[in-house]
């Protein structure tokens, strides 16, 4: 991707003539074929000019900008996983969305990795016909209902939501928590334990059915645009054909959970690109003691550290994309990547906010917003600690938590 023109210095000095290096300083994106490079550059431009400047107020109000979804669909962000593109390209697209806003990247990633992709791979022909066209255009939205109020990290063994097969259909009972897009989604891919064989299975549950209630989880410190919800199912009757045929066992969806964890690794990398962008922009514009703070040694050290963390994260994710392209992605790889890039994002976010000084605590400068969002990445899709233990089990042969 080409260098990005640096901002005009308030004093009107020569800084407008400087072309600052792109945050992808080792040019990971140059590994893409020319067509993918051009498409990625187009998406970057769209996100930075049409999305990033306007999302801050939505973040402050805990609102999702529904008016932006049609343009996001036009840019292909609703159908990333159905394109015949490289894993590296798809990962870099996820990183670019995160670079603009973490909440919208959560919507785009969950939509593609855990809803659209799962229905495309595991759904029945009828389910595909019903949902895929709308999902590709964001005119239909699904959510992924796995986590429960009492079961997060131990969900595979502790899942309590039940599904009972009756003559009329399946009856779903239980509760789900932290469900992204759950407040407005058309349906939920809902995981429930079959009372007959004790297997965890996945069902499409339309959220306008009798017995479904949903409520927004408010006052989150980060990811405030993403509408997380509590979902409750009280004797919800769904047709037999709403069982997803390729997901009649929890083992069948493990690949999707692994891909999703890898996607959060790309979020960690993309967030750091955004942190570097905003911290550098602020440093070259902000004057103290008669000169831009970018001239101060401590500021330059922090910018260098942010860039180093971002570069290391991008390199790790590029290698992971190659492993995934070869069909060799396993959970310990995804867990290591997710744990590492989100840990580094947390450090980069603190450094970026520090460069902002007093202004760094205001969301209008993005730096505090990204610091809060980094905490969410560090926690969801497997906490840092759980992912570390998954890696630990792989490298030692013994489990610390099972």
């Amino acid at each position: 991707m080409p260098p990005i023109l640096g901002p005009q210095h308030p004093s009107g000095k020569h800084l407008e003539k400087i072309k600052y290096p792109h945050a992808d300083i080792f040019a990971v994106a140059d590994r893409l074929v020319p067509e993918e490079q051009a498409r990625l550059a187009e998406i970057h431009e769209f996100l930075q000019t049409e999305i990033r400047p306007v999302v801050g107020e939505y973040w402050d109000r805990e609102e999702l900008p529904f008016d932006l979804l049609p343009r996001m669909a036009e840019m292909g962000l609703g159908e990333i996983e159905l394109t015949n593109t490289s894993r590296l390209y798809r990962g870099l697209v996820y990183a670019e969305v995160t670079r603009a806003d973490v909440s919208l990247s959560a919507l785009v990633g969950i939509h593609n990795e855990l809803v659209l992709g799962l229905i495309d791979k595991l759904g029945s022909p009828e389910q595909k016909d019903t949902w895929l066209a709308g999902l590709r255009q964001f005119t239909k939205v699904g959510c992924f209902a796995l986590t429960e109020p009492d079961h997060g990290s131990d969900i595979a063994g502790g899942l309590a939501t039940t599904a009972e097969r009756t003559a009329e259909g399946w009856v779903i009972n239980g509760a789900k928590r932290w469900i992204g897009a759950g407040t407005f989604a058309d349906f939920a891919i809902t995981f429930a334990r079959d009372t007959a064989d004790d297997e965890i299975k996945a069902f499409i549950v339309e959220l306008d059915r009798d017995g479904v209630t949903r409520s927004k989880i408010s006052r989150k410190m980060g990811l405030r645009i993403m509408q997380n919800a509590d979902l409750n199912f009280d004797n919800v009757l769904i047709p037999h054909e709403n069982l997803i045929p390729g997901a009649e066992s929890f083992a069948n969806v493990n690949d999707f959970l692994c891909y999703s964890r890898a996607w959060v690794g790309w979020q960690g990398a993309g967030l750091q690109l955004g942190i570097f962008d905003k911290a550098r922009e602020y440093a070259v514009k902000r004057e103290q003691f008669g000169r831009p703070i970018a001239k101060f040694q401590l500021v330059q050290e922090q910018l260098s550290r942010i860039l180093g963390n971002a570069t290391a994260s991008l390199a790790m994710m590029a290698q992971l994309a190659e492993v995934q392209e070869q069909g060799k992605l396993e959970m310990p790889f995804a867990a290591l990547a997710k744990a590492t890039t989100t840990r580094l994002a947390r450090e980069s976010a603190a450094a970026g906010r520090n460069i902002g000084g007093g202004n760094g605590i205001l969301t209008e400068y993005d730096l505090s917003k990204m610091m809060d969002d980094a905490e969410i990445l560090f926690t969801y899709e497997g906490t840092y600690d759980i992912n570390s233990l998954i890696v630990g089990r792989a490298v030692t042969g013994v489990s610390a938590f099972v």
Side-chain angles (χ1 to χ4, degrees):
M1 299 176 72
I4 294 176
L5 189 66
Q8 169 80 40
H9 189 274
S11 67
K13 296 178 182 178
H14 68 282
L15 287 178
E16 73 276 7
K17 300 179 181 178
I18 298 175
K19 286 188 176 182
Y20 299 113
H22 193 282
D24 178 12
I25 200 165
F26 283 1
V28 170
D30 286 358
R31 303 183 193 182
L32 300 173
V33 299
E35 294 80 7
E36 290 180 343
Q37 287 187 44
R39 184 60 176 157
L40 183 66
E42 183 181 1
I43 289 172
H44 169 85
E45 180 68 15
F46 160 71
L47 291 167
Q48 292 298 316
T49 59
E50 296 187 40
I51 300 296
R52 184 166 204 164
V54 302
V55 291
E57 292 186 5
Y58 291 96
W59 193 94
D60 288 339
R61 297 194 301 265
E62 296 188 331
E63 294 178 5
L64 189 112
F66 291 99
D67 55 311
L68 298 180
L69 293 182
R71 279 290 289 138
M72 291 169 63
E74 287 177 19
M75 297 303 296
L77 298 181
E79 55 183 358
I80 298 168
E81 288 304 312
L82 299 188
T83 58
N84 187 26
T85 53
S86 68
R87 280 290 173 185
L88 179 59
Y89 169 81
R90 281 178 265 179
L92 287 168
V93 170
Y94 290 136
E96 284 295 340
V97 182
T98 314
R99 188 178 189 172
D101 181 73
V102 179
S103 295
L104 289 181
S105 77
L107 175 65
V108 169
I110 292 169
H111 173 89
N112 277 279
E113 295 281 350
L114 295 177
V115 178
L116 177 86
L118 189 145
I119 290 177
D120 179 60
K121 293 295 192 299
L122 303 182
S124 67
E126 293 76 19
Q127 290 166 353
K128 295 177 188 180
D129 288 343
T130 299
W131 296 110
L132 286 184
L135 290 171
R136 296 177 80 138
Q137 295 301 312
F138 282 128
T139 57
K140 296 294 182 183
V141 176
C143 59
F144 191 81
L146 176 60
T147 302
E148 298 181 347
D150 296 325
H151 299 286
S153 298
D154 69 343
I155 191 66
L159 187 140
T161 301
T162 61
E164 181 182 2
R165 184 180 174 90
T166 69
E168 293 78 22
W170 291 93
V171 178
I172 309 296
N173 280 286
K176 300 294 182 179
R177 184 162 173 81
W178 297 115
I179 309 308
T183 61
F184 63 90
D186 298 285
F187 66 92
I189 296 178
T190 303
F191 290 83
R193 194 177 298 277
D194 188 342
T195 57
D197 60 13
D198 208 40
E199 288 281 356
I200 297 174
K201 300 175 181 179
F203 304 84
I204 293 176
V205 180
E206 298 89 349
L207 294 179
D208 59 355
R209 290 189 175 274
D210 290 341
V212 176
T213 57
R214 43 184 167 176
S215 56
K216 177 181 176 180
I217 299 174
S218 298
R219 304 176 70 182
K220 298 181 298 178
M221 71 176 293
L223 215 69
R224 290 166 61 87
I225 288 175
M226 170 56 89
Q227 305 295 292
N228 292 90
D230 285 311
L231 301 179
N232 284 279
F233 305 98
D234 182 12
N235 290 318
V236 179
L237 178 65
I238 60 173
H240 291 123
E241 56 266 26
N242 280 28
L243 171 66
I244 299 176
E248 294 189 76
S249 166
F250 195 64
N252 295 346
V253 301
N254 279 344
D255 284 347
F256 292 91
L257 299 177
C258 187
Y259 299 157
S260 179
R261 201 150 297 189
W263 151 68
V264 182
W266 281 109
Q267 283 189 296
L271 175 58
Q272 292 180 82
L273 296 178
I275 292 166
F276 180 79
D277 290 340
K278 298 305 290 187
R280 178 175 59 182
E281 177 184 311
Y282 185 82
V284 298
K285 286 182 175 180
R286 175 67 169 171
E287 275 196 354
Q288 290 290 279
F289 304 103
R291 53 182 175 165
I293 64 170
K295 290 179 66 69
F296 298 146
Q297 292 177 359
L298 290 176
V299 171
Q300 291 196 0
E301 186 279 331
Q302 290 177 94
L303 286 172
S304 176
R305 181 150 37 96
I306 295 168
L307 184 59
N309 286 348
T311 302
S313 297
L314 277 177
M316 174 179 266
M317 294 311 303
Q319 185 61 34
L320 191 76
E322 185 173 330
V323 170
Q324 193 169 0
E325 198 82 69
Q326 296 168 359
K328 297 178 180 179
L329 182 64
E330 298 178 7
M331 185 58 81
F333 300 153
L336 179 63
K338 190 272 180 184
T340 301
T341 69
T342 59
R343 172 176 58 82
L344 292 176
R346 205 183 192 199
E347 177 184 310
S348 295
R353 199 228 59 80
N354 191 53
I355 289 172
N359 287 330
I361 69 173
L362 301 173
T363 56
E364 68 180 278
Y365 289 90
D366 281 348
L367 294 168
S368 66
K369 169 177 173 285
M370 291 188 288
M371 185 176 180
D372 287 343
D373 285 341
E375 288 297 312
I376 312 303
L377 297 188
F378 191 70
T379 303
Y380 82 165
E381 284 296 327
T383 65
Y384 173 81
D385 295 332
I386 288 295
N387 279 305
S388 297
L389 295 181
I390 290 171
V391 176
R393 179 175 60 189
V395 299
T396 66
V398 293
S399 175
F401 59 92
V402 177

